[in-house]
Amino acid sequence: MITHDNARTMIATALSKGRELELKPLSVVVLDAGGHVLAFEREDGAAPGRFEIARGKAYGAVMLGMPGSAQMARAETQAYFMAAVNGAYGGKVIPVPGGVLVMADGAVVGAVGVTGDTSDNDAVAAVAGVEAAGFAAQA
């Protein structure tokens, strides 16, 4: 289970990693295994609409049990499948890197969504946050 302290560590570390890499202002959300928001933070200068993007990346990861990179690959080869999934989830899925699974003992316990820079850079920041909180990341 991801505690509030775990979620805060994930966010603080992801944002710190973004500053270290000189990324654009980031927004970070942490979801539990049921897709519910545990914590969110948006850096100064990040667009206000970034919450929905960060949540969509994390939501797709946790609900499908696959990280954003795998969702993107699936969307490229089976666009109809991802379109159907997104319809089933009310348009809440954003199938690109930056949605990272949080794993404990081989089980999905939540997801982190990061947005603001390139999707690949977003994923790097998310992984740093997940690992800093003592969990395994699947990006």
Side-chain angles (χ1 to χ4, degrees):
M1 172 176 151
I2 301 171
T3 66
H4 181 73
D5 285 343
N6 295 147
R8 300 304 310 151
T9 296
M10 290 177 195
I11 289 173
T13 303
L15 295 176
S16 177
K17 186 67 170 181
R19 288 188 296 275
E20 173 191 324
L21 297 174
E22 299 181 1
L23 304 183
K24 294 176 185 173
L26 299 178
S27 296
V28 184
V29 69
V30 179
L31 305 183
D32 67 14
H36 304 99
V37 176
L38 294 173
F40 170 75
E41 192 167 324
R42 179 174 60 93
E43 285 188 301
D44 293 341
R50 291 292 180 170
F51 169 76
E52 294 298 342
I53 297 170
R55 184 175 61 143
K57 289 181 175 189
Y59 190 78
V62 76
M63 298 311 280
L64 295 171
M66 66 173 71
S69 58
Q71 292 174 61
M72 187 171 84
R74 188 84 182 258
E76 289 171 348
T77 61
Q78 294 180 315
Y80 61 89
F81 173 77
M82 289 307 295
V85 164
N86 214 358
Y89 289 123
K92 295 179 187 175
V93 175
I94 299 180
V96 296
V100 173
L101 290 171
V102 179
M103 310 290 292
D105 298 321
V108 175
V109 295
V112 173
V114 176
T115 184
D117 205 84
T118 67
S119 293
D120 289 336
N121 285 340
D122 293 344
V124 169
V127 167
V130 171
E131 292 177 348
F135 294 90
Q138 195 175 91

